[in-house]
Amino acid sequence: AQKITQTQPGMFVQEKEAVTLDCTYDTSDQSYGLFWYKQPSSGEMIFLIYQGSYDEQNATEGRYSLNFQKARKSANLVISASQLGDSAMYFCAMRGEGAQKLVFGQGTRLTINP
Amino acid sequence: GAVVSQHPSWVICKSGTSVKIECRSLDFQATTMFWYRQFPKQSLMLMATSNEGSKATYEQGVEKDKFLINHASLTLSTLTVTSAHPEDSSFYICSASGNTREQFFGPGTRLTVL
């Protein structure tokens, strides 16, 4: 079984600063995928970034990067140069080997202050 | 990316009535669709996984007779909340995946049962 833990219920950051959202996971699978989603107040789930367990490089997508530390089983999301529009809920998720379904963490509410 | 729609985006109904929510993949064939439920300030909870032409697989604790899922075609899945009660009020989100296993999320449906 997979488990995702996000220990930060809420984060407050000044605009233009970088922010790191923590995510740790637990699995016995050798192959798995890690995802980050953004959920603004409208409710839609916006895919941000994906990291495969065998990917040697940390994933990056524009201002988003994933700090993948396999030995520590962590997959932290780093947002550089934060913007007011980054204020939202952020969910870390995992898909196990051969699995279809995603397992989500509890989420972190990020608030960007002007 | 692929587009998934949900209809309606919000619905208010009286206690005891049934409500049907549609999830459509607009530009790809969704062999698998997922239904999630999200209470305020909480994470997404997977309710069931449905494969086209097969019976849905429900997660533990989800009443299959109350939450009827139909996935009759490769572009449409429906969730019917039967005999809805106020405790069924929630945000329902579907996602769909084709042959790549990547999940594309719908915009969600907010259900309020009076």
Side-chain angles (χ1 to χ4, degrees):
Chain A
Q2 285 81 38
K3 185 177 179 182
I4 294 282
T5 302
Q6 293 179 254
T7 57
Q8 306 154 311
M11 289 276 286
F12 294 84
V13 173
Q14 284 299 118
E15 190 180 7
K16 299 181 184 177
E17 289 183 353
V19 57
T20 298
L21 304 182
D22 295 341
C23 173
T24 57
Y25 61 91
D26 190 25
T27 182
S28 56
D29 291 346
Q30 296 300 308
S31 174
Y32 48 88
L34 296 156
F35 303 76
W36 276 94
Y37 290 88
K38 172 184 178 181
Q39 187 181 42
S41 56
S42 57
E44 63 195 295
M45 294 290 284
I46 301 170
F47 166 74
L48 296 178
I49 198 166
Y50 168 80
Q51 179 85 43
S53 58
Y54 288 117
D55 293 342
E56 294 185 354
Q57 304 259 354
N58 284 346
T60 60
E61 289 286 348
R63 293 187 299 113
Y64 304 107
S65 60
L66 200 151
N67 184 0
F68 181 45
Q69 298 190 41
K70 197 170 182 177
R72 293 186 177 185
K73 294 190 175 179
S74 74
N76 298 339
L77 176 71
V78 180
I79 306 174
S80 62
S82 58
Q83 303 170 356
L84 296 179
D86 294 333
S87 295
M89 280 291 288
Y90 288 81
F91 291 99
C92 180
M94 177 176 193
R95 185 179 65 208
E97 185 169 8
Q100 293 180 305
K101 63 184 184 183
L102 292 171
V103 175
F104 285 86
Q106 308 93 312
T108 296
R109 178 166 296 281
L110 175 63
T111 302
I112 307 298
N113 296 315
Chain B
V3 180
V4 175
S5 70
Q6 273 184 249
H7 179 80
S9 54
W10 59 270
V11 56
I12 301 172
C13 70
K14 291 183 178 179
S15 186
T17 60
S18 294
V19 175
K20 181 184 284 188
I21 302 170
E22 293 185 348
C23 177
R24 293 182 185 271
S25 57
L26 299 185
D27 51 3
F28 70 103
Q29 292 187 325
T31 50
T32 306
M33 286 187 170
F34 305 84
W35 286 96
Y36 296 86
R37 182 175 181 176
Q38 186 180 29
F39 290 109
K41 299 184 180 180
Q42 294 189 23
S43 186
L44 281 72
M45 183 197 81
L46 180 66
M47 299 174 67
T49 302
S50 74
N51 292 299
E52 185 264 337
S54 306
K55 287 186 179 179
T57 301
Y58 289 81
E59 295 297 303
Q60 194 172 11
V62 177
E63 299 175 60
K64 58 182 67 177
D65 294 332
K66 180 164 186 64
F67 299 100
L68 302 178
I69 292 171
N70 183 281
H71 190 172
S73 79
L74 285 171
T75 59
L76 173 64
S77 176
T78 59
L79 166 67
T80 301
V81 183
T82 62
S83 186
H85 289 285
E87 57 265 30
D88 298 324
S89 298
S90 188
F91 191 59
Y92 292 86
I93 309 176
C94 74
S95 69
S97 68
N99 51 16
T100 65
R101 290 205 300 154
E102 183 177 356
Q103 286 190 33
F104 301 95
F105 284 84
T109 297
R110 195 163 300 280
L111 170 64
T112 302
V113 184
L114 302 177

